[in-house]
Amino acid sequence: MEYRSPLAKSCWLLLLLLLLPSHNHQGQVLRQIPPTQGIQEPPAVHLSNGPGQEPVSIMTFNLTKITKSSSFFEFRTWDPEGVIFYGDTNPKDDWFVLALRDGRPEIQLYNQWAQLTVGAGPRLDDGRWHQVEVKSLDDSVLLAVDGEQVLRLRQVSGPLTEKSQPIMRIALGGLLFPASDLRLPLVPALDACLRRDNWLDQQAQISASAPTSLRSCAIESQPGIFFPSGTCAEFSLQDLPQPHVEPWTFSLDLGLQLAAGSGHLLALGTPENPSWLSLHLQDQKVVLFYGSGPGLDLPLVLGLPLQLKLDESRVLLSHGPKKIIAQPPMGLDSLLNLWVHPQGRLFLGTLPGETSSASFGLDGLWAQDQRLDLDRALSRSQDIWTHSCPQHLGNGSNTTH
């Protein structure tokens, strides 16, 4: 009779446990994305095509050949709102959306069995890679995050092979119908990266468009906002938090982390006259211009807060402990009238018609102490990073991908 030592038995028991499928607390097997060490992985795909709702890639599947009804991927973002993927067999009466709202997963679906919007699970806008799986099982849709089932919707679906339309489309990072057709509106654009993805049944896939994203996910990034040279964003002053009334005051705060080149940082004005008051980046200085007067400058020190504050009689620019004041003898009445002008604007970055070499990164942008979201801008360049910023300039961070 063969004798095995206690140590050998322990090793066999450990091996047996490792080979068993993992289960969650509800007893359901959850997919583990296998490691790919030593295998050349496709690069991660950035999910944004700019400020609109155009997806970066579209795949089509023949549902009559489907043998697997689940999709999984890894996902990373600092953006709290936007579309991860959209799927449909008919955009009018059979569609599905997985998105983020307030940083948490949200499912919207519309079909003959159910029409609903539901959010669940942890916040995913922490800049870490998260594993996500969406699965259709009998009449249910399951959502798992990092190996844990966070949502099960029952009586909301039927077998994929029994759909009235045999072709399914899956769109990454966008929608295939107007955003206004969503059950609960959101901003579709999502500053995020996706990798190690597997969609439904590869043998049933008919076509897949090449990704058209504008960014590379290979650049080391951090939370923030980044304006590559030549980019701009525009806010209506009427859409911003409004000035205090008595006494009249308005403030803008920028957390300037990166800067290079020369050109406009921001301006207040109208589309016809965009530079009533402006801040420039120039020779490692921040320069304040008001009207036709000479520029006033402060040495640029990255990492120190930059604040522009207006009241009824003066403009105050603070950069860390240093300050400069512009106090026109005729007061600021013409500038303050911008807030009642229907075309009053806050411009960020390059002004319309201007050539600029300035690029800069912010860890935040605030008006009246309220954070501004570039996705809510009246308009913006498609190359702006709305919720991330390179850790340092160079290595392609100042160009599109």
mmCIF file of all heavy atoms in Angstrom, residues 34 96 106 143-144 148 157 164 171 191 324 361-362 369:
data_model
loop_
_atom_site.group_PDB
_atom_site.id
_atom_site.type_symbol
_atom_site.label_atom_id
_atom_site.label_comp_id
_atom_site.label_asym_id
_atom_site.label_seq_id
_atom_site.Cartn_x
_atom_site.Cartn_y
_atom_site.Cartn_z
ATOM 1 N N PRO A 34 -8.400 35.186 -17.956
ATOM 2 C CA PRO A 34 -7.128 34.492 -17.789
ATOM 3 C C PRO A 34 -5.948 35.423 -17.968
ATOM 4 O O PRO A 34 -6.006 36.386 -18.729
ATOM 5 C CB PRO A 34 -7.167 33.427 -18.897
ATOM 6 C CG PRO A 34 -8.062 34.010 -19.944
ATOM 7 C CD PRO A 34 -9.095 34.795 -19.194
ATOM 8 N N PHE A 96 -30.004 47.768 -25.787
ATOM 9 C CA PHE A 96 -29.402 47.609 -24.461
ATOM 10 C C PHE A 96 -28.213 48.566 -24.359
ATOM 11 O O PHE A 96 -27.453 48.725 -25.312
ATOM 12 C CB PHE A 96 -28.927 46.164 -24.288
ATOM 13 C CG PHE A 96 -28.169 45.889 -23.013
ATOM 14 C CD1 PHE A 96 -28.820 45.342 -21.914
ATOM 15 C CD2 PHE A 96 -26.807 46.145 -22.906
ATOM 16 C CE1 PHE A 96 -28.133 45.070 -20.740
ATOM 17 C CE2 PHE A 96 -26.114 45.883 -21.735
ATOM 18 C CZ PHE A 96 -26.776 45.344 -20.646
ATOM 19 N N GLU A 106 -24.675 51.473 -14.972
ATOM 20 C CA GLU A 106 -26.103 51.637 -15.199
ATOM 21 C C GLU A 106 -26.490 50.853 -16.446
ATOM 22 O O GLU A 106 -25.798 50.909 -17.467
ATOM 23 C CB GLU A 106 -26.455 53.111 -15.383
ATOM 24 C CG GLU A 106 -27.932 53.356 -15.711
ATOM 25 C CD GLU A 106 -28.256 54.830 -15.869
ATOM 26 O OE1 GLU A 106 -28.385 55.506 -14.821
ATOM 27 O OE2 GLU A 106 -28.357 55.305 -17.017
ATOM 28 N N LEU A 143 -24.960 41.136 -14.401
ATOM 29 C CA LEU A 143 -23.807 42.034 -14.464
ATOM 30 C C LEU A 143 -22.865 41.693 -13.316
ATOM 31 O O LEU A 143 -23.285 41.649 -12.155
ATOM 32 C CB LEU A 143 -24.250 43.494 -14.351
ATOM 33 C CG LEU A 143 -23.131 44.540 -14.263
ATOM 34 C CD1 LEU A 143 -22.322 44.594 -15.558
ATOM 35 C CD2 LEU A 143 -23.703 45.924 -13.944
ATOM 36 N N ALA A 144 -21.607 41.423 -13.649
ATOM 37 C CA ALA A 144 -20.591 41.130 -12.640
ATOM 38 C C ALA A 144 -19.446 42.126 -12.773
ATOM 39 O O ALA A 144 -19.070 42.515 -13.884
ATOM 40 C CB ALA A 144 -20.060 39.702 -12.791
ATOM 41 N N GLU A 148 -17.615 39.647 -8.869
ATOM 42 C CA GLU A 148 -18.782 39.615 -7.999
ATOM 43 C C GLU A 148 -20.027 40.037 -8.772
ATOM 44 O O GLU A 148 -20.020 41.074 -9.430
ATOM 45 C CB GLU A 148 -18.604 40.547 -6.787
ATOM 46 C CG GLU A 148 -17.548 40.090 -5.788
ATOM 47 C CD GLU A 148 -18.004 38.879 -5.006
ATOM 48 O OE1 GLU A 148 -19.221 38.690 -4.845
ATOM 49 O OE2 GLU A 148 -17.133 38.112 -4.549
ATOM 50 N N SER A 157 -35.688 39.384 -20.635
ATOM 51 C CA SER A 157 -35.076 38.991 -21.898
ATOM 52 C C SER A 157 -35.552 37.610 -22.295
ATOM 53 O O SER A 157 -36.178 36.883 -21.520
ATOM 54 C CB SER A 157 -33.550 39.004 -21.774
ATOM 55 O OG SER A 157 -32.943 38.674 -23.011
ATOM 56 N N SER A 164 -36.450 38.281 -33.124
ATOM 57 C CA SER A 164 -37.129 38.405 -34.412
ATOM 58 C C SER A 164 -36.185 38.876 -35.508
ATOM 59 O O SER A 164 -36.366 38.543 -36.683
ATOM 60 C CB SER A 164 -38.312 39.379 -34.284
ATOM 61 O OG SER A 164 -37.863 40.660 -33.857
ATOM 62 N N ALA A 171 -21.853 48.343 -30.257
ATOM 63 C CA ALA A 171 -21.062 49.553 -30.502
ATOM 64 C C ALA A 171 -20.329 49.931 -29.228
ATOM 65 O O ALA A 171 -20.931 50.005 -28.152
ATOM 66 C CB ALA A 171 -21.975 50.695 -30.947
ATOM 67 N N ASP A 191 -14.335 59.210 -21.422
ATOM 68 C CA ASP A 191 -12.871 59.211 -21.443
ATOM 69 C C ASP A 191 -12.407 57.969 -20.682
ATOM 70 O O ASP A 191 -12.221 57.998 -19.470
ATOM 71 C CB ASP A 191 -12.370 60.500 -20.770
ATOM 72 C CG ASP A 191 -10.857 60.643 -20.808
ATOM 73 O OD1 ASP A 191 -10.171 59.690 -21.224
ATOM 74 O OD2 ASP A 191 -10.352 61.704 -20.399
ATOM 75 N N ILE A 324 -1.422 89.913 -8.622
ATOM 76 C CA ILE A 324 -1.387 91.164 -9.384
ATOM 77 C C ILE A 324 -2.820 91.664 -9.523
ATOM 78 O O ILE A 324 -3.772 90.874 -9.534
ATOM 79 C CB ILE A 324 -0.739 91.001 -10.785
ATOM 80 C CG1 ILE A 324 -1.384 89.849 -11.570
ATOM 81 C CG2 ILE A 324 0.753 90.810 -10.669
ATOM 82 C CD1 ILE A 324 -0.852 89.707 -12.981
ATOM 83 N N GLY A 361 -2.210 71.076 -18.776
ATOM 84 C CA GLY A 361 -3.001 70.096 -18.051
ATOM 85 C C GLY A 361 -3.448 70.661 -16.714
ATOM 86 O O GLY A 361 -2.684 71.363 -16.038
ATOM 87 N N LEU A 362 -4.683 70.356 -16.343
ATOM 88 C CA LEU A 362 -5.267 70.847 -15.096
ATOM 89 C C LEU A 362 -5.670 69.657 -14.230
ATOM 90 O O LEU A 362 -6.098 68.618 -14.753
ATOM 91 C CB LEU A 362 -6.507 71.695 -15.372
ATOM 92 C CG LEU A 362 -6.398 72.809 -16.408
ATOM 93 C CD1 LEU A 362 -7.778 73.415 -16.662
ATOM 94 C CD2 LEU A 362 -5.425 73.877 -15.950
ATOM 95 N N ASP A 369 -16.345 78.148 -7.201
ATOM 96 C CA ASP A 369 -16.073 76.997 -6.326
ATOM 97 C C ASP A 369 -16.838 75.740 -6.727
ATOM 98 O O ASP A 369 -16.894 74.777 -5.946
ATOM 99 C CB ASP A 369 -16.368 77.326 -4.858
ATOM 100 C CG ASP A 369 -15.487 78.460 -4.336
ATOM 101 O OD1 ASP A 369 -14.308 78.502 -4.712
ATOM 102 O OD2 ASP A 369 -15.995 79.294 -3.563
#
